[in-house]
Amino acid sequence: EEVTNLVEYPTALFGKFEEEYLSLPEEVLVTTMKEHQRYFPVKNAEGQLLPYFVTVRNGDHNHIENVARGNEKVLRARLSDAAFFYNEDQKLVISDNVKKLDKIVFHEELGSTGDKVRRMTTLSKTLAERFNVSSEEKIHVLRAAEICKFDLVTHMVYEFPELQGIIGEKYAKAFGEAEEVAAAVNE
């Protein structure tokens, strides 16, 4: 509805992108297409993302191939940037990112995001003890609190802020964090 109301004479067209980009997290691809370009991602019957998109142009079918190629070029540039950011983020160390949170102001009277995370960790420890959780659960609770905001300083979240948490979960899993911890980062 939004896309067709952006134009006076909507004409649908499709394009494609390189399959190599399918190695990026699906959320990155879909966000790039839907939110940044107003493209519709294409999935197969099993719900797997395919290297195609549908978009709408303002005008008729004349020279639609040129329009499709132009849209493919734009998307290729966006996905190339996303791949670069993703690859750079794979070099990160979670603890280094947590330290960088001290440089992000949360609130002028409440300190940095790092201060906030430390308060959350203390609160999480208190709650875990009060609810008498198992020692393994307590370890997961404390770790999740310690790293819950680490993705704020990644290249990917800087470029795609709407993926905060989602990227944190993906990266936490990739860096060997427990499933419970990774899920908590997202939640």
Side-chain angles (χ1 to χ4, degrees), residues 3 10 14 25 37-38 45 50 72 80 114 117 144 155 157 172 175 182:
V3 171
F14 77 94
Q37 299 303 129
R38 301 301 191 260
L50 297 173
E72 289 171 350
S80 178
V117 167
H155 297 291
V157 170
F175 294 122

Side-chain angles (χ1 to χ4, degrees), residues 27-69:
E27 295 87 351
V28 172
L29 298 170
V30 170
T31 298
T32 300
M33 286 186 266
K34 284 178 70 174
E35 305 299 326
H36 294 232
Q37 299 303 129
R38 301 301 191 260
Y39 297 168
F40 300 93
V42 177
K43 296 183 176 187
N44 65 18
E46 291 78 41
Q48 295 173 310
L49 193 63
L50 297 173
Y52 304 102
F53 64 90
V54 175
T55 190
V56 176
R57 76 170 280 189
N58 189 28
D60 57 22
H61 283 88
N62 290 331
H63 309 291
I64 200 91
E65 312 81 28
N66 291 341
V67 176
R69 278 195 303 276

Side-chain angles (χ1 to χ4, degrees), residues 18 42 46 57 90 118 155 159 170 187:
E18 289 76 8
V42 177
E46 291 78 41
R57 76 170 280 189
Q90 299 313 298
R118 284 185 286 279
H155 297 291
E159 183 69 18
K170 299 241 180 248
E187 293 168 3

Side-chain angles (χ1 to χ4, degrees), residues 105-140:
V105 175
F106 170 64
H107 187 278
E108 66 182 42
E109 294 179 19
L110 298 175
S112 69
T113 300
D115 294 328
K116 176 183 178 180
V117 167
R118 284 185 286 279
R119 288 190 298 271
M120 291 169 60
T121 302
T122 300
L123 181 59
S124 297
K125 181 179 179 185
T126 301
L127 290 173
E129 290 169 356
R130 179 159 299 164
F131 289 112
N132 202 27
V133 300
S134 71
S135 58
E136 182 180 2
E137 288 173 323
K138 185 176 180 181
I139 289 169
H140 292 325

Side-chain angles (χ1 to χ4, degrees), residues 163-176:
L163 294 179
Q164 181 197 350
I166 295 167
I167 289 298
E169 178 179 17
K170 299 241 180 248
Y171 287 2
K173 285 180 186 176
F175 294 122

